[in-house]
Amino acid sequence: MESLVLSKNKLPELINKISSEHILYGPTEENNYSSFKQILNFDEMNLSYLLSRVSPKSILFKQTETLFKFIPGRKGSVKSSEIPEEKSVIFAIRPCDARSFSILDGVFNGDYEDPFYISKRKNTVLIGLTCNKPEQNCFCTTFDDSPGSSKNLDILLTELNNNYLVEVVTEKGNNLLKNMRSLLKEASKEEIQERKEIEEHAISTINRKMNLEGIVPKLDKMFDHELWHNTAFKCIGCGICTFLCPTCHCFDMQDEGTLKEGARIRVWDSCMYPEYTHHASGHNPRPARMNRVRNRVYHKFSYFPKNEDVTACTGCARCIDYCPVNIDIIDVIDKVGAILIE
Amino acid sequence: MTTTQPKAEVKEFEPNIIGFLCNWCSYAGADLAGTSRIQYSPNIKIIKVMCSGRVNPMFVVNALQQGADGVLIGGCHPGDCHYQHGNYLARRRIGVLKKVLEFMGIDERRVRMTWVSAAEGRKFAEVIEEITDDIRKLGPLKQLKRVNEW
Amino acid sequence: MVDQKLLVEEVKKIVSQEDVKYVIGYKKGTYGFAISPAFAYSPEYVDKFIFNPLCKKNLAVYPILEEKLPLKKGEKADTRKIGVIVKGCDSRALNQIIQEKGQKRENLVIIGIPCTGVIDQKKIISKFPNVTDYTDIEEKNGNYKISINGEVHNIPKEELLADFCTSCVAPNPVIYDILIGDEVEPWEPQEHNNLKELNEKTIEEKWAYWEEHFQRCIRCYACREACPLCYCKECMADMLTPQWIRRSVNLSENTAWNIMRAYHLAGRCVGCGECESVCPVNIPLMELNKQIENDVKEMFNYTAGMDVDEKPLFGMFRPDDPEEFIL
């Protein structure tokens, strides 16, 4: 891994260079929350953000995606959507959100291959920004991740006093910076040390932790435990947790169109809605909120670890922060851990 | 020498209007207008409903989404409703819907309501002329229309 | 301010009644200023109950969420009552639900708490970011006295008060079986936020304003689920035959959804502000709701949820309703 330094006043130049050749997504602030949007000008970006409200999964796994178009009738035809090939860059993504992509890879590039996601993933360079001030509910350290982890990124930036420390992690990242070398210089030992201290400080401010030890086998034994009833009592089934979650990936497919033409689209869905599992027969295998709340926990902390060998949670704490009724996933897992089962 | 001037082809905007007319009065009124050979703008497309009270306000929103520039709801005169008071209820609903649309920035004149009895073929034609004129002036609806691009 | 002891004592009495299944109240949340709804099945659990200005959540949403799953053979339906702790606006919501026959009055034990306004979570979090715990919070002489880590902060009430509380017309519960504490002096309701400003805009400006907001809507329907009055068995937005609103997320469908939500709450919205405060993308839904509330008041002299015997707005009419818009 190569460590370079970029002075802060050269960042706009770097951004403009990147955006001239790539579609650039970056964090913007509007209406008191930040979200990832396409950036045309450096000034649109707000790098002092903490976490975008809706996770950047929305860039690779769009909320509404057209799968194919069709013309109905006897002379009808089907035309699949073009697979996007544009080169793009996601700038200033947080390490936890970057980790979500490696989790989603197992879904969209596993047993079933989703050409849209795969193509976008292949053509997207992830430039991370370390999280220097995690907020009160962050718990990424639970998953052997850290606010300064470069594991799932192509390039990682760390904000130092006057500079950004640029760590080039992958070949993809190296290629991106090829013709921008003039803006960068070699990092000194002190700067690398400074970055280390910043990361250690950030880790020390994380005060929440989830105890995952033995959770997977334990969940197997407590499918019918009353804990799920008790947790689901206060759930209003709003689905905010799943919509904001960086690893939730459930979707619904619908045909829509006019008399002349139409398309099959894929839209985000949420397992917290009763319609999600509603069969055409009228039967619903998850009829109660209890079933749905339980499914969310099991999917992330039992099924996913079994199938993909990774917990489908990044510790970004969006679901904790924005749950209107304080269903706290750390609290739920702690309760699971505390229950004694013979 | 005469140069052929290109004809000034100003194609006036022709609005698309959906009319929800009640079976017992307004629709019969429209029928009368037709059988009496009264001329009125062809911009209105009529959908017959059993009562103006049947018109779910989402019908209106949906019509606007699907390409209508204006919507007309026609019912019986107050007191004449075949179902006693369907038109009274419709009046409340549409009145509030117009307020909601106006507040959101969709001109409330695009949603109109009228009382036309089965004997008022003349009035029906006049009403159609009036709203067609109004909506023609307002121009095409931009706000709610579905793009239908995938 | 409500006497904590009195609250716990009274609720304990209610939970102990044989015909009461459980009582819904508030307890401290798992972090920071979070408040969690709490369900007390036994008197011992009631010790956790609190009430402070952070208790914003409208609990009137819960009795209607009570799931009635198919009974097993020989099983008898549980017909015991449900107790709910309500503030002024929450009680109006219950009133409205009962009026619409969504709930039966006799199935509820309503525990009223006079309210002097609640704190907006977003405001207090931006004022005190990263506070992991607080010891006490109370309202005193127009200030909120907040004790954090032994330090006492005095914050003027206006700075933290939720916006919709300024236009509250019923700080005291309008329907209750038992009232905890004394009634408070109602205040003069003020115009909500920038409603006046918004009304002075031209129609193009209005659309530009809402277009920007609706564009961002992610259609998670949290506004619907959090609303105590959105309790249809199947929401029109979820229907497939006919499909009223397409699932794809774009401006047209988002606008249609927002018109539908706002419209279906016309003459029913009680102004509890739940929809706006749960919205993950900060759409000012209360501006819409309040505007319609004002319109309905002006047109029909109707205020939602004040009188349990009144008929729902769209379920009745008067021959002399305004009709100047009719051709």
Side-chain angles (χ1 to χ4, degrees), chain C residues 22-56:
Chain C
Y22 56 85
V23 175
I24 311 162
Y26 302 94
K27 68 174 184 187
K28 221 168 159 176
T30 52
Y31 65 92
F33 297 109
I35 293 287
S36 163
F39 298 77
Y41 279 81
S42 63
E44 296 78 55
Y45 193 88
V46 180
D47 286 323
K48 289 189 184 171
F49 274 28
I50 57 161
F51 188 83
N52 65 29
L54 286 168
C55 298
K56 197 195 120 296

Side-chain angles (χ1 to χ4, degrees), chain C residues 185-197:
Chain C
E185 188 75 30
W187 51 90
E188 189 60 39
Q190 283 158 21
E191 187 86 82
H192 183 73
N193 276 15
N194 52 350
L195 216 49
K196 201 166 160 238
E197 219 175 285

Side-chain angles (χ1 to χ4, degrees), chain A residues 30-33 37 53-54 63-64 133-137 207-208 230 233-240 243-244 252 254-258 265 267-268 273-275 287-292 320-326 328 331 335, chain C residues 22 27-37 39 41 57 61-62 65-67 69 122 125 129-132 212-213 216-222 224-226 233-234 238 240 243 246-250 274 278-282:
Chain A
E30 268 179 318
N31 297 289
N32 301 322
Y33 72 94
K37 281 202 178 136
R53 187 67 61 89
V54 180
Q63 182 158 15
T64 313
K133 281 184 196 140
E135 60 109 51
Q136 55 171 333
N137 288 324
N207 43 30
R208 298 203 72 176
N230 298 341
F233 260 128
K234 59 182 176 180
C235 179
I236 53 172
C238 70
I240 289 181
F243 269 73
L244 300 189
D252 185 13
Q254 295 261 324
D255 286 355
E256 55 183 43
T258 60
I265 55 146
V267 284
W268 289 1
Y273 301 153
E275 300 79 52
R289 274 173 295 147
M290 180 276 269
N291 306 80
R292 301 192 282 272
I320 303 177
D321 286 344
Y322 303 110
C323 179
V325 293
N326 191 230
D328 186 331
D331 184 52
K335 274 185 187 149
Chain C
Y22 56 85
K27 68 174 184 187
K28 221 168 159 176
T30 52
Y31 65 92
F33 297 109
I35 293 287
S36 163
F39 298 77
Y41 279 81
K57 176 90 200 122
V61 69
Y62 283 111
L65 278 177
E66 167 90 359
E67 279 159 336
L69 296 175
K122 286 172 189 164
I125 288 173
N130 287 349
V131 168
T132 45
E212 197 274 320
H213 284 305
R216 300 199 322 269
C217 177
I218 56 169
R219 298 263 293 283
C220 61
Y221 301 131
R224 171 186 78 185
E225 304 296 344
K233 273 224 172 79
E234 188 180 13
D238 290 333
L240 288 171
Q243 188 174 40
R246 283 183 187 166
R247 293 286 205 278
S248 53
V249 178
N250 57 39
E274 277 298 308
V278 301
C279 180
V281 290
N282 299 358

Side-chain angles (χ1 to χ4, degrees), chain C residues 64-120:
Chain C
I64 220 113
L65 278 177
E66 167 90 359
E67 279 159 336
K68 292 193 177 66
L69 296 175
L71 296 174
K72 288 189 187 111
K73 210 176 171 186
E75 201 179 8
K76 263 193 182 159
D78 194 339
T79 52
R80 286 176 297 169
K81 297 177 185 182
I82 297 171
V84 203
I85 291 182
V86 292
K87 307 185 290 291
C89 48
D90 312 349
S91 74
R92 279 177 67 196
L94 281 182
N95 227 348
Q96 185 68 24
I97 296 170
I98 295 166
Q99 179 196 100
E100 293 165 1
K101 300 193 169 60
Q103 274 282 342
K104 284 191 181 133
R105 176 71 182 89
E106 59 268 27
N107 290 350
L108 297 169
V109 181
I110 305 174
I111 304 155
I113 293 183
C115 164
T116 51
V118 290
I119 291 177
D120 188 336

